[in-house]
Amino acid sequence: MIVNVREGKLEGTTNKSVLTGKEYYSFLGIRYAKPPIGDLRFQPPVPIEKWNGILDAKNEGSPCIQYTNENIDIIGSEDCLFLNIHTPEAILLLLPSKIKIPKPVMVFIHGGAFVNGSGGSKTLGPDYLIIHDVVYVTLNYRLHSLGFLNLGISECSGNCGLKDQLLALKWIKENINQFGGDRNNITIFGESAGAISVHLHMLSPLSKGIFSKTIAQSGTALVSFSLNENPTETAFKLGRELDFVGNDPKEFVEFLKNQSAENLLKAAEKTQRLYCKELIGTASPLIFAPSIEVIKNDAFLPDHPKNLLKTAEPLPFLVGLNDKEGRLIYSVQSLQEDFSIVIKQNIPCHYSKIKELSDKVQKFYFGDKPICSETDDEISNLYTDLYFLNLYESFQYITKSNFPVYIYEFSFYGKFNVFSQRFMKNATTGASHADELPYLFYSNKFCKNISEIKEPEKTVINNICSMWTNFAKTGNPTDGMKDVEWKPSTFDNPRYLQINKDLTLKEGKIFEKRFSFLKNIYEFATEYPPK
């Protein structure tokens, strides 16, 4: 299965969807940039050069070096800038086909808190989406310090991971027609850190004109973990873990370039843990995350997202969250030990207000109930709101645009809610952060046998994949679907689709009472002097 792209020839392979047996082509491990090693470490990605002969594209490339299995094992490599393309039809050199109508392109940006994850098929398999006649693409980008260190100098200006994504998108736009894709109809979508990335691409002046629609699952540029607002300060925390002495950023970069990628990863993980312990207020809990760039020439993020929101060109947007996002952050023990500390870590306030503020929050979420395993749902709701309150705020900005905005709440609990099952074993309803992913992507990690896909899971898979691909095709997620019409949300008429066993359009805002309460709490917390 050979195609001809700008740089040369690629040989892929043929597969069949586990759901329907539909045949599709896969081209895996395609380099879109030079290996970001040596002098290219901490630098924007450099486009790949042309090659001679036929490049083997039958195996996925390495993910970025990262921890897995509870921060015990290290996998991946610093040489990780690869993408994967799955397509129902391609312009094959040996079996030429005439593609009359190019297919919509969907590019997924993986999550993982900017420190782990990849575009690999073990968790992001194409089998569910590909049967809806779209071209599906995944990509890898640099993570943790390798992708997001920012020292405010040209040698390390920040956001390399986002610039990797951007170069991959440019490669896709230039070459996707050879894979049967429509270069003028590219939808980017992502989850968690990937959703933040998607929204930042909407705001970045460098990404303009590359894609036409966007989907953000459980994240936007305004959530509390989307931005490191003190990147230079936190960068030097990494230096202390590596025994760097000094405060000159150029010396520091040279020092870091002489470290192995494994040493950088170990130091980054330790720095992150120590940072979270000392975290107070609404600083991002992520030390390696997107940041505003001091070097403005070709800056991906030249200003704060709130400012860029006011000037960015709006696009059709599908955005939402899961009803029990907070299960991923769930912690009974820390709440039991000192409720006020958890509140102070997430809500900036004067020390004299902490007791009153924490009492208000505890009363609202728990009433007279104790904080224990019997109040799992209440704990989950609290963490959902503390970490995702600003996602609700994003809706207010987004719905002011003239383009359609579709808002959803995913609340289905089924056999493949693997993250709920991991973090809250007694859960029987609701969806944790990332629980929607196994219904959108086939994963042989979570679904060992196709016979496991029964009702109602099969209906949920069909519904979410139909809506996501419909949106990519026409901009209307329920186009041609029976029994439901997903109407866009506007600032004056908010509404959202609840995705469960059934699809239900609801008027109003998601978690409206909780949103209003926490908004008032933040206003109370930031009053100074205290009343």
Side-chain angles (χ1 to χ4, degrees), residues 185-189 198-199 202 211-216 313-319 398 401-407 470-472 474-477 488:
N185 187 9
I186 297 174
T187 297
I188 60 171
F189 66 132
V198 163
H199 198 197
M202 291 178 70
F211 48 89
S212 55
K213 304 181 195 76
T214 50
I215 301 174
E313 181 180 332
L315 295 171
F317 201 14
L318 193 158
V319 58
I398 295 163
S401 76
N402 294 322
F403 278 79
V405 177
Y406 297 92
I407 298 175
N470 281 341
F471 180 74
T474 69
N476 177 358

PDB file of all heavy atoms in Angstrom, residues 185-189 198-199 202 211-216 313-319 398 401-407 470-472 474-477 488:
ATOM      1  N   ASN A 185     -11.132  20.618   4.819  1.00  0.00           N
ATOM      2  CA  ASN A 185     -12.112  20.241   5.840  1.00  0.00           C
ATOM      3  C   ASN A 185     -11.423  19.383   6.893  1.00  0.00           C
ATOM      4  O   ASN A 185     -11.585  18.168   6.952  1.00  0.00           O
ATOM      5  CB  ASN A 185     -13.287  19.489   5.217  1.00  0.00           C
ATOM      6  CG  ASN A 185     -14.404  19.242   6.226  1.00  0.00           C
ATOM      7  OD1 ASN A 185     -14.382  19.764   7.341  1.00  0.00           O
ATOM      8  ND2 ASN A 185     -15.376  18.437   5.841  1.00  0.00           N
ATOM      9  N   ILE A 186     -10.615  20.049   7.714  1.00  0.00           N
ATOM     10  CA  ILE A 186      -9.877  19.382   8.792  1.00  0.00           C
ATOM     11  C   ILE A 186     -10.478  19.797  10.128  1.00  0.00           C
ATOM     12  O   ILE A 186     -10.609  20.982  10.431  1.00  0.00           O
ATOM     13  CB  ILE A 186      -8.379  19.754   8.747  1.00  0.00           C
ATOM     14  CG1 ILE A 186      -7.747  19.255   7.444  1.00  0.00           C
ATOM     15  CG2 ILE A 186      -7.644  19.175   9.955  1.00  0.00           C
ATOM     16  CD1 ILE A 186      -6.303  19.700   7.251  1.00  0.00           C
ATOM     17  N   THR A 187     -10.864  18.804  10.915  1.00  0.00           N
ATOM     18  CA  THR A 187     -11.351  19.034  12.276  1.00  0.00           C
ATOM     19  C   THR A 187     -10.283  18.556  13.250  1.00  0.00           C
ATOM     20  O   THR A 187      -9.797  17.419  13.131  1.00  0.00           O
ATOM     21  CB  THR A 187     -12.653  18.257  12.533  1.00  0.00           C
ATOM     22  OG1 THR A 187     -13.669  18.728  11.649  1.00  0.00           O
ATOM     23  CG2 THR A 187     -13.126  18.437  13.969  1.00  0.00           C
ATOM     24  N   ILE A 188      -9.890  19.403  14.186  1.00  0.00           N
ATOM     25  CA  ILE A 188      -8.972  18.961  15.233  1.00  0.00           C
ATOM     26  C   ILE A 188      -9.790  18.709  16.496  1.00  0.00           C
ATOM     27  O   ILE A 188     -10.707  19.462  16.823  1.00  0.00           O
ATOM     28  CB  ILE A 188      -7.826  19.958  15.488  1.00  0.00           C
ATOM     29  CG1 ILE A 188      -8.345  21.336  15.926  1.00  0.00           C
ATOM     30  CG2 ILE A 188      -6.960  20.103  14.248  1.00  0.00           C
ATOM     31  CD1 ILE A 188      -7.237  22.280  16.389  1.00  0.00           C
ATOM     32  N   PHE A 189      -9.469  17.615  17.172  1.00  0.00           N
ATOM     33  CA  PHE A 189     -10.178  17.313  18.414  1.00  0.00           C
ATOM     34  C   PHE A 189      -9.211  16.700  19.413  1.00  0.00           C
ATOM     35  O   PHE A 189      -8.172  16.154  19.047  1.00  0.00           O
ATOM     36  CB  PHE A 189     -11.413  16.452  18.165  1.00  0.00           C
ATOM     37  CG  PHE A 189     -11.201  15.040  17.667  1.00  0.00           C
ATOM     38  CD1 PHE A 189     -11.868  13.985  18.272  1.00  0.00           C
ATOM     39  CD2 PHE A 189     -10.402  14.746  16.561  1.00  0.00           C
ATOM     40  CE1 PHE A 189     -11.734  12.673  17.809  1.00  0.00           C
ATOM     41  CE2 PHE A 189     -10.260  13.442  16.083  1.00  0.00           C
ATOM     42  CZ  PHE A 189     -10.926  12.411  16.718  1.00  0.00           C
ATOM     43  N   VAL A 198      -6.245  21.985  21.599  1.00  0.00           N
ATOM     44  CA  VAL A 198      -7.173  22.345  20.518  1.00  0.00           C
ATOM     45  C   VAL A 198      -7.637  23.787  20.663  1.00  0.00           C
ATOM     46  O   VAL A 198      -7.620  24.563  19.696  1.00  0.00           O
ATOM     47  CB  VAL A 198      -8.386  21.383  20.519  1.00  0.00           C
ATOM     48  CG1 VAL A 198      -9.542  21.959  19.699  1.00  0.00           C
ATOM     49  CG2 VAL A 198      -7.987  20.023  19.974  1.00  0.00           C
ATOM     50  N   HIS A 199      -8.037  24.160  21.874  1.00  0.00           N
ATOM     51  CA  HIS A 199      -8.531  25.527  22.086  1.00  0.00           C
ATOM     52  C   HIS A 199      -7.415  26.554  21.900  1.00  0.00           C
ATOM     53  O   HIS A 199      -7.634  27.636  21.342  1.00  0.00           O
ATOM     54  CB  HIS A 199      -9.147  25.649  23.480  1.00  0.00           C
ATOM     55  CG  HIS A 199     -10.041  26.833  23.627  1.00  0.00           C
ATOM     56  ND1 HIS A 199     -10.431  27.336  24.850  1.00  0.00           N
ATOM     57  CD2 HIS A 199     -10.634  27.638  22.702  1.00  0.00           C
ATOM     58  CE1 HIS A 199     -11.206  28.394  24.669  1.00  0.00           C
ATOM     59  NE2 HIS A 199     -11.353  28.598  23.383  1.00  0.00           N
ATOM     60  N   MET A 202      -6.987  27.313  18.386  1.00  0.00           N
ATOM     61  CA  MET A 202      -8.018  28.255  17.939  1.00  0.00           C
ATOM     62  C   MET A 202      -7.603  29.700  18.204  1.00  0.00           C
ATOM     63  O   MET A 202      -7.964  30.609  17.461  1.00  0.00           O
ATOM     64  CB  MET A 202      -9.344  27.983  18.658  1.00  0.00           C
ATOM     65  CG  MET A 202     -10.023  26.693  18.261  1.00  0.00           C
ATOM     66  SD  MET A 202     -11.549  26.435  19.201  1.00  0.00           S
ATOM     67  CE  MET A 202     -12.619  27.705  18.501  1.00  0.00           C
ATOM     68  N   PHE A 211      -7.250  24.544   9.993  1.00  0.00           N
ATOM     69  CA  PHE A 211      -8.379  23.657  10.252  1.00  0.00           C
ATOM     70  C   PHE A 211      -9.665  24.480  10.242  1.00  0.00           C
ATOM     71  O   PHE A 211      -9.637  25.710  10.329  1.00  0.00           O
ATOM     72  CB  PHE A 211      -8.207  22.934  11.593  1.00  0.00           C
ATOM     73  CG  PHE A 211      -7.827  23.854  12.728  1.00  0.00           C
ATOM     74  CD1 PHE A 211      -8.791  24.486  13.487  1.00  0.00           C
ATOM     75  CD2 PHE A 211      -6.488  24.095  13.025  1.00  0.00           C
ATOM     76  CE1 PHE A 211      -8.444  25.348  14.514  1.00  0.00           C
ATOM     77  CE2 PHE A 211      -6.128  24.957  14.049  1.00  0.00           C
ATOM     78  CZ  PHE A 211      -7.114  25.589  14.795  1.00  0.00           C
ATOM     79  N   SER A 212     -10.801  23.776  10.162  1.00  0.00           N
ATOM     80  CA  SER A 212     -12.071  24.487  10.004  1.00  0.00           C
ATOM     81  C   SER A 212     -13.077  24.239  11.123  1.00  0.00           C
ATOM     82  O   SER A 212     -14.046  24.986  11.269  1.00  0.00           O
ATOM     83  CB  SER A 212     -12.716  24.118   8.663  1.00  0.00           C
ATOM     84  OG  SER A 212     -12.868  22.713   8.553  1.00  0.00           O
ATOM     85  N   LYS A 213     -12.861  23.192  11.930  1.00  0.00           N
ATOM     86  CA  LYS A 213     -13.775  22.893  13.032  1.00  0.00           C
ATOM     87  C   LYS A 213     -12.971  22.339  14.203  1.00  0.00           C
ATOM     88  O   LYS A 213     -11.862  21.813  14.009  1.00  0.00           O
ATOM     89  CB  LYS A 213     -14.847  21.867  12.620  1.00  0.00           C
ATOM     90  CG  LYS A 213     -15.673  22.256  11.409  1.00  0.00           C
ATOM     91  CD  LYS A 213     -16.719  21.188  11.110  1.00  0.00           C
ATOM     92  CE  LYS A 213     -17.306  21.371   9.730  1.00  0.00           C
ATOM     93  NZ  LYS A 213     -16.374  20.919   8.672  1.00  0.00           N
ATOM     94  N   THR A 214     -13.561  22.417  15.407  1.00  0.00           N
ATOM     95  CA  THR A 214     -12.827  21.989  16.597  1.00  0.00           C
ATOM     96  C   THR A 214     -13.741  21.273  17.586  1.00  0.00           C
ATOM     97  O   THR A 214     -14.914  21.630  17.736  1.00  0.00           O
ATOM     98  CB  THR A 214     -12.183  23.200  17.308  1.00  0.00           C
ATOM     99  OG1 THR A 214     -13.185  24.214  17.489  1.00  0.00           O
ATOM    100  CG2 THR A 214     -11.046  23.784  16.510  1.00  0.00           C
ATOM    101  N   ILE A 215     -13.171  20.285  18.265  1.00  0.00           N
ATOM    102  CA  ILE A 215     -13.881  19.556  19.324  1.00  0.00           C
ATOM    103  C   ILE A 215     -12.964  19.496  20.540  1.00  0.00           C
ATOM    104  O   ILE A 215     -11.816  19.056  20.441  1.00  0.00           O
ATOM    105  CB  ILE A 215     -14.241  18.124  18.883  1.00  0.00           C
ATOM    106  CG1 ILE A 215     -15.123  18.141  17.631  1.00  0.00           C
ATOM    107  CG2 ILE A 215     -14.948  17.379  20.015  1.00  0.00           C
ATOM    108  CD1 ILE A 215     -15.392  16.754  17.053  1.00  0.00           C
ATOM    109  N   ALA A 216     -13.470  19.954  21.688  1.00  0.00           N
ATOM    110  CA  ALA A 216     -12.689  19.951  22.934  1.00  0.00           C
ATOM    111  C   ALA A 216     -13.431  19.139  23.986  1.00  0.00           C
ATOM    112  O   ALA A 216     -14.513  19.516  24.418  1.00  0.00           O
ATOM    113  CB  ALA A 216     -12.445  21.373  23.419  1.00  0.00           C
ATOM    114  N   GLU A 313     -10.350  34.442  15.685  1.00  0.00           N
ATOM    115  CA  GLU A 313     -11.431  34.178  14.739  1.00  0.00           C
ATOM    116  C   GLU A 313     -12.197  32.942  15.193  1.00  0.00           C
ATOM    117  O   GLU A 313     -11.627  31.855  15.333  1.00  0.00           O
ATOM    118  CB  GLU A 313     -10.855  33.948  13.346  1.00  0.00           C
ATOM    119  CG  GLU A 313     -11.898  33.679  12.285  1.00  0.00           C
ATOM    120  CD  GLU A 313     -11.267  33.467  10.923  1.00  0.00           C
ATOM    121  OE1 GLU A 313     -10.172  34.021  10.675  1.00  0.00           O
ATOM    122  OE2 GLU A 313     -11.854  32.735  10.115  1.00  0.00           O
ATOM    123  N   PRO A 314     -13.511  33.047  15.450  1.00  0.00           N
ATOM    124  CA  PRO A 314     -14.267  31.892  15.947  1.00  0.00           C
ATOM    125  C   PRO A 314     -14.485  30.849  14.858  1.00  0.00           C
ATOM    126  O   PRO A 314     -14.500  31.154  13.667  1.00  0.00           O
ATOM    127  CB  PRO A 314     -15.602  32.516  16.393  1.00  0.00           C
ATOM    128  CG  PRO A 314     -15.742  33.752  15.564  1.00  0.00           C
ATOM    129  CD  PRO A 314     -14.346  34.262  15.316  1.00  0.00           C
ATOM    130  N   LEU A 315     -14.655  29.605  15.283  1.00  0.00           N
ATOM    131  CA  LEU A 315     -14.919  28.486  14.386  1.00  0.00           C
ATOM    132  C   LEU A 315     -16.026  27.629  14.985  1.00  0.00           C
ATOM    133  O   LEU A 315     -16.275  27.696  16.201  1.00  0.00           O
ATOM    134  CB  LEU A 315     -13.659  27.624  14.213  1.00  0.00           C
ATOM    135  CG  LEU A 315     -12.452  28.252  13.523  1.00  0.00           C
ATOM    136  CD1 LEU A 315     -11.243  27.323  13.662  1.00  0.00           C
ATOM    137  CD2 LEU A 315     -12.748  28.523  12.061  1.00  0.00           C
ATOM    138  N   PRO A 316     -16.696  26.809  14.190  1.00  0.00           N
ATOM    139  CA  PRO A 316     -17.652  25.865  14.759  1.00  0.00           C
ATOM    140  C   PRO A 316     -16.978  25.023  15.840  1.00  0.00           C
ATOM    141  O   PRO A 316     -15.877  24.508  15.636  1.00  0.00           O
ATOM    142  CB  PRO A 316     -18.068  25.018  13.551  1.00  0.00           C
ATOM    143  CG  PRO A 316     -17.854  25.915  12.375  1.00  0.00           C
ATOM    144  CD  PRO A 316     -16.636  26.729  12.711  1.00  0.00           C
ATOM    145  N   PHE A 317     -17.659  24.888  16.970  1.00  0.00           N
ATOM    146  CA  PHE A 317     -17.019  24.328  18.159  1.00  0.00           C
ATOM    147  C   PHE A 317     -17.968  23.346  18.825  1.00  0.00           C
ATOM    148  O   PHE A 317     -19.117  23.665  19.100  1.00  0.00           O
ATOM    149  CB  PHE A 317     -16.671  25.476  19.110  1.00  0.00           C
ATOM    150  CG  PHE A 317     -15.605  25.168  20.129  1.00  0.00           C
ATOM    151  CD1 PHE A 317     -14.795  24.051  20.036  1.00  0.00           C
ATOM    152  CD2 PHE A 317     -15.395  26.033  21.200  1.00  0.00           C
ATOM    153  CE1 PHE A 317     -13.805  23.789  20.971  1.00  0.00           C
ATOM    154  CE2 PHE A 317     -14.403  25.787  22.149  1.00  0.00           C
ATOM    155  CZ  PHE A 317     -13.613  24.661  22.027  1.00  0.00           C
ATOM    156  N   LEU A 318     -17.473  22.146  19.100  1.00  0.00           N
ATOM    157  CA  LEU A 318     -18.198  21.164  19.900  1.00  0.00           C
ATOM    158  C   LEU A 318     -17.382  20.968  21.162  1.00  0.00           C
ATOM    159  O   LEU A 318     -16.197  20.622  21.092  1.00  0.00           O
ATOM    160  CB  LEU A 318     -18.338  19.860  19.116  1.00  0.00           C
ATOM    161  CG  LEU A 318     -19.317  18.803  19.625  1.00  0.00           C
ATOM    162  CD1 LEU A 318     -19.733  17.868  18.484  1.00  0.00           C
ATOM    163  CD2 LEU A 318     -18.716  17.976  20.756  1.00  0.00           C
ATOM    164  N   VAL A 319     -17.975  21.215  22.319  1.00  0.00           N
ATOM    165  CA  VAL A 319     -17.199  21.257  23.558  1.00  0.00           C
ATOM    166  C   VAL A 319     -18.035  20.737  24.716  1.00  0.00           C
ATOM    167  O   VAL A 319     -19.251  20.937  24.756  1.00  0.00           O
ATOM    168  CB  VAL A 319     -16.709  22.704  23.847  1.00  0.00           C
ATOM    169  CG1 VAL A 319     -17.867  23.669  23.953  1.00  0.00           C
ATOM    170  CG2 VAL A 319     -15.835  22.779  25.097  1.00  0.00           C
ATOM    171  N   ILE A 398     -17.294  31.476  24.657  1.00  0.00           N
ATOM    172  CA  ILE A 398     -17.437  30.802  23.372  1.00  0.00           C
ATOM    173  C   ILE A 398     -18.801  31.064  22.745  1.00  0.00           C
ATOM    174  O   ILE A 398     -18.919  31.266  21.538  1.00  0.00           O
ATOM    175  CB  ILE A 398     -17.195  29.284  23.549  1.00  0.00           C
ATOM    176  CG1 ILE A 398     -15.740  29.034  23.958  1.00  0.00           C
ATOM    177  CG2 ILE A 398     -17.512  28.531  22.263  1.00  0.00           C
ATOM    178  CD1 ILE A 398     -15.502  27.662  24.550  1.00  0.00           C
ATOM    179  N   SER A 401     -19.791  33.945  20.212  1.00  0.00           N
ATOM    180  CA  SER A 401     -19.345  33.991  18.827  1.00  0.00           C
ATOM    181  C   SER A 401     -20.530  33.823  17.885  1.00  0.00           C
ATOM    182  O   SER A 401     -21.626  33.420  18.282  1.00  0.00           O
ATOM    183  CB  SER A 401     -18.321  32.892  18.555  1.00  0.00           C
ATOM    184  OG  SER A 401     -18.968  31.638  18.440  1.00  0.00           O
ATOM    185  N   ASN A 402     -20.298  34.115  16.616  1.00  0.00           N
ATOM    186  CA  ASN A 402     -21.348  33.983  15.609  1.00  0.00           C
ATOM    187  C   ASN A 402     -21.369  32.582  14.998  1.00  0.00           C
ATOM    188  O   ASN A 402     -22.205  32.300  14.145  1.00  0.00           O
ATOM    189  CB  ASN A 402     -21.147  35.024  14.502  1.00  0.00           C
ATOM    190  CG  ASN A 402     -21.327  36.439  15.013  1.00  0.00           C
ATOM    191  OD1 ASN A 402     -22.187  36.688  15.848  1.00  0.00           O
ATOM    192  ND2 ASN A 402     -20.510  37.360  14.528  1.00  0.00           N
ATOM    193  N   PHE A 403     -20.457  31.726  15.430  1.00  0.00           N
ATOM    194  CA  PHE A 403     -20.409  30.371  14.903  1.00  0.00           C
ATOM    195  C   PHE A 403     -21.150  29.426  15.841  1.00  0.00           C
ATOM    196  O   PHE A 403     -21.262  29.687  17.040  1.00  0.00           O
ATOM    197  CB  PHE A 403     -18.960  29.916  14.736  1.00  0.00           C
ATOM    198  CG  PHE A 403     -18.317  30.396  13.468  1.00  0.00           C
ATOM    199  CD1 PHE A 403     -17.842  31.695  13.363  1.00  0.00           C
ATOM    200  CD2 PHE A 403     -18.207  29.555  12.381  1.00  0.00           C
ATOM    201  CE1 PHE A 403     -17.254  32.145  12.194  1.00  0.00           C
ATOM    202  CE2 PHE A 403     -17.604  29.993  11.206  1.00  0.00           C
ATOM    203  CZ  PHE A 403     -17.139  31.287  11.103  1.00  0.00           C
ATOM    204  N   PRO A 404     -21.666  28.303  15.322  1.00  0.00           N
ATOM    205  CA  PRO A 404     -22.400  27.380  16.194  1.00  0.00           C
ATOM    206  C   PRO A 404     -21.510  26.743  17.246  1.00  0.00           C
ATOM    207  O   PRO A 404     -20.372  26.353  16.960  1.00  0.00           O
ATOM    208  CB  PRO A 404     -22.947  26.330  15.210  1.00  0.00           C
ATOM    209  CG  PRO A 404     -22.084  26.425  14.002  1.00  0.00           C
ATOM    210  CD  PRO A 404     -21.652  27.859  13.919  1.00  0.00           C
ATOM    211  N   VAL A 405     -22.034  26.660  18.467  1.00  0.00           N
ATOM    212  CA  VAL A 405     -21.333  26.040  19.584  1.00  0.00           C
ATOM    213  C   VAL A 405     -22.242  24.952  20.154  1.00  0.00           C
ATOM    214  O   VAL A 405     -23.353  25.230  20.595  1.00  0.00           O
ATOM    215  CB  VAL A 405     -20.993  27.063  20.676  1.00  0.00           C
ATOM    216  CG1 VAL A 405     -20.330  26.363  21.863  1.00  0.00           C
ATOM    217  CG2 VAL A 405     -20.088  28.163  20.131  1.00  0.00           C
ATOM    218  N   TYR A 406     -21.756  23.721  20.130  1.00  0.00           N
ATOM    219  CA  TYR A 406     -22.516  22.587  20.649  1.00  0.00           C
ATOM    220  C   TYR A 406     -21.875  22.142  21.955  1.00  0.00           C
ATOM    221  O   TYR A 406     -20.698  21.768  21.982  1.00  0.00           O
ATOM    222  CB  TYR A 406     -22.512  21.442  19.640  1.00  0.00           C
ATOM    223  CG  TYR A 406     -23.193  21.777  18.331  1.00  0.00           C
ATOM    224  CD1 TYR A 406     -22.468  22.300  17.258  1.00  0.00           C
ATOM    225  CD2 TYR A 406     -24.563  21.587  18.166  1.00  0.00           C
ATOM    226  CE1 TYR A 406     -23.090  22.612  16.058  1.00  0.00           C
ATOM    227  CE2 TYR A 406     -25.199  21.893  16.968  1.00  0.00           C
ATOM    228  CZ  TYR A 406     -24.445  22.408  15.919  1.00  0.00           C
ATOM    229  OH  TYR A 406     -25.056  22.719  14.727  1.00  0.00           O
ATOM    230  N   ILE A 407     -22.649  22.177  23.035  1.00  0.00           N
ATOM    231  CA  ILE A 407     -22.139  21.824  24.366  1.00  0.00           C
ATOM    232  C   ILE A 407     -22.766  20.498  24.793  1.00  0.00           C
ATOM    233  O   ILE A 407     -23.957  20.263  24.580  1.00  0.00           O
ATOM    234  CB  ILE A 407     -22.454  22.932  25.383  1.00  0.00           C
ATOM    235  CG1 ILE A 407     -21.748  24.242  24.968  1.00  0.00           C
ATOM    236  CG2 ILE A 407     -22.031  22.524  26.790  1.00  0.00           C
ATOM    237  CD1 ILE A 407     -22.084  25.425  25.844  1.00  0.00           C
ATOM    238  N   ASN A 470     -20.253  13.391  12.117  1.00  0.00           N
ATOM    239  CA  ASN A 470     -21.214  14.287  11.446  1.00  0.00           C
ATOM    240  C   ASN A 470     -20.773  15.733  11.560  1.00  0.00           C
ATOM    241  O   ASN A 470     -20.862  16.510  10.605  1.00  0.00           O
ATOM    242  CB  ASN A 470     -22.610  14.140  12.066  1.00  0.00           C
ATOM    243  CG  ASN A 470     -23.355  12.924  11.575  1.00  0.00           C
ATOM    244  OD1 ASN A 470     -23.024  12.370  10.541  1.00  0.00           O
ATOM    245  ND2 ASN A 470     -24.350  12.491  12.335  1.00  0.00           N
ATOM    246  N   PHE A 471     -20.312  16.087  12.755  1.00  0.00           N
ATOM    247  CA  PHE A 471     -19.830  17.457  12.972  1.00  0.00           C
ATOM    248  C   PHE A 471     -18.661  17.749  12.042  1.00  0.00           C
ATOM    249  O   PHE A 471     -18.564  18.829  11.455  1.00  0.00           O
ATOM    250  CB  PHE A 471     -19.428  17.640  14.432  1.00  0.00           C
ATOM    251  CG  PHE A 471     -18.905  19.014  14.765  1.00  0.00           C
ATOM    252  CD1 PHE A 471     -19.756  20.099  14.851  1.00  0.00           C
ATOM    253  CD2 PHE A 471     -17.541  19.214  14.986  1.00  0.00           C
ATOM    254  CE1 PHE A 471     -19.264  21.366  15.155  1.00  0.00           C
ATOM    255  CE2 PHE A 471     -17.043  20.471  15.294  1.00  0.00           C
ATOM    256  CZ  PHE A 471     -17.917  21.552  15.376  1.00  0.00           C
ATOM    257  N   ALA A 472     -17.746  16.777  11.901  1.00  0.00           N
ATOM    258  CA  ALA A 472     -16.599  16.964  11.007  1.00  0.00           C
ATOM    259  C   ALA A 472     -17.049  17.105   9.554  1.00  0.00           C
ATOM    260  O   ALA A 472     -16.461  17.861   8.781  1.00  0.00           O
ATOM    261  CB  ALA A 472     -15.624  15.801  11.151  1.00  0.00           C
ATOM    262  N   THR A 474     -20.293  18.030   8.305  1.00  0.00           N
ATOM    263  CA  THR A 474     -21.246  19.089   7.947  1.00  0.00           C
ATOM    264  C   THR A 474     -21.323  20.242   8.936  1.00  0.00           C
ATOM    265  O   THR A 474     -21.948  21.260   8.646  1.00  0.00           O
ATOM    266  CB  THR A 474     -22.660  18.494   7.811  1.00  0.00           C
ATOM    267  OG1 THR A 474     -23.127  18.089   9.118  1.00  0.00           O
ATOM    268  CG2 THR A 474     -22.677  17.305   6.879  1.00  0.00           C
ATOM    269  N   GLY A 475     -20.711  20.071  10.125  1.00  0.00           N
ATOM    270  CA  GLY A 475     -20.849  21.092  11.162  1.00  0.00           C
ATOM    271  C   GLY A 475     -22.076  20.897  12.019  1.00  0.00           C
ATOM    272  O   GLY A 475     -22.285  21.624  12.994  1.00  0.00           O
ATOM    273  N   ASN A 476     -22.904  19.891  11.714  1.00  0.00           N
ATOM    274  CA  ASN A 476     -24.109  19.590  12.491  1.00  0.00           C
ATOM    275  C   ASN A 476     -23.980  18.175  13.043  1.00  0.00           C
ATOM    276  O   ASN A 476     -24.064  17.197  12.297  1.00  0.00           O
ATOM    277  CB  ASN A 476     -25.345  19.699  11.599  1.00  0.00           C
ATOM    278  CG  ASN A 476     -26.631  19.328  12.332  1.00  0.00           C
ATOM    279  OD1 ASN A 476     -26.608  18.959  13.500  1.00  0.00           O
ATOM    280  ND2 ASN A 476     -27.754  19.419  11.631  1.00  0.00           N
ATOM    281  N   PRO A 477     -23.797  18.004  14.354  1.00  0.00           N
ATOM    282  CA  PRO A 477     -23.506  16.677  14.906  1.00  0.00           C
ATOM    283  C   PRO A 477     -24.648  15.672  14.794  1.00  0.00           C
ATOM    284  O   PRO A 477     -24.396  14.464  14.800  1.00  0.00           O
ATOM    285  CB  PRO A 477     -23.160  16.961  16.372  1.00  0.00           C
ATOM    286  CG  PRO A 477     -23.683  18.313  16.656  1.00  0.00           C
ATOM    287  CD  PRO A 477     -23.686  19.062  15.371  1.00  0.00           C
ATOM    288  N   PRO A 488     -27.522  24.272  18.696  1.00  0.00           N
ATOM    289  CA  PRO A 488     -26.390  25.004  19.268  1.00  0.00           C
ATOM    290  C   PRO A 488     -26.798  25.790  20.509  1.00  0.00           C
ATOM    291  O   PRO A 488     -27.971  26.165  20.683  1.00  0.00           O
ATOM    292  CB  PRO A 488     -25.964  25.944  18.140  1.00  0.00           C
ATOM    293  CG  PRO A 488     -26.549  25.377  16.901  1.00  0.00           C
ATOM    294  CD  PRO A 488     -27.810  24.695  17.322  1.00  0.00           C
TER     295      PRO A 488
END
